[in-house]
Amino acid sequence: MGDDVTRLTVDLKGLAALLAISGSLHLVRPRVFETMVPRQLPARRGLVYASGVAELACAAGLLHPMTRKAAGWASAALLPAVFPGNVQMALTEGKRARAGTGSRARGAGTLARLPLQLPLIRTALRATGRI
């Protein structure tokens, strides 16, 4: 294992913090995230809890050198897996903003965060030692 994999860099700390906050919110406020789950999927609440636990596990794994590589792979898989939910949230918030029942800033924020997935995935892959 190279130094890049065993060293806890600022970007890995940031990814771990982001995953820990998001995962915690999934467990504490699941109703907020249920609207992000595409309608075609069953058991919305269960999927919200499962993704929250997965985010917390990835966050914890990224923080320890013995689990960082595996957590990097898991994070790199998790981020695209939850991307449809982020798209759904952007669509929902955009509709709310256009209808006057939501904030334009929130709608713009949910849309602007979509391309941020790529650097997050890159950071997760950096934890694996592949890049």
Side-chain angles (χ1 to χ4, degrees):
M1 218 184 288
D3 288 336
D4 289 343
V5 177
T6 57
R7 200 167 53 106
L8 183 58
T9 58
V10 172
D11 59 342
L12 287 177
K13 288 178 188 176
L15 178 58
L18 183 72
L19 289 169
I21 291 167
S22 179
S24 297
L25 287 173
H26 278 70
L27 300 179
V28 173
R29 305 281 304 214
R31 187 174 301 177
V32 172
F33 296 93
E34 285 179 20
T35 60
M36 294 174 64
V37 178
R39 289 182 184 91
Q40 302 85 336
L41 296 177
R44 287 179 164 181
R45 177 70 56 106
L47 290 171
V48 169
Y49 285 142
S51 63
V53 169
E55 288 175 342
L56 288 170
C58 287
L62 288 170
L63 295 175
H64 195 280
M66 295 292 290
T67 55
R68 190 164 299 134
K69 185 175 183 177
W73 284 118
S75 299
L78 178 65
L79 290 164
V82 299
F83 187 74
N86 295 331
V87 171
Q88 183 62 52
M89 181 181 217
L91 292 172
T92 300
E93 290 302 325
K95 285 179 188 175
R96 287 180 182 160
R98 286 189 300 281
T101 59
S103 160
R104 287 187 183 270
R106 182 174 166 100
T110 58
L111 187 60
R113 79 180 197 164
L114 294 178
L116 295 176
Q117 293 289 100
L118 291 175
L120 294 176
I121 293 167
R122 184 171 175 81
T123 298
L125 289 173
R126 197 171 300 120
T128 70
R130 288 292 194 168
I131 59 171

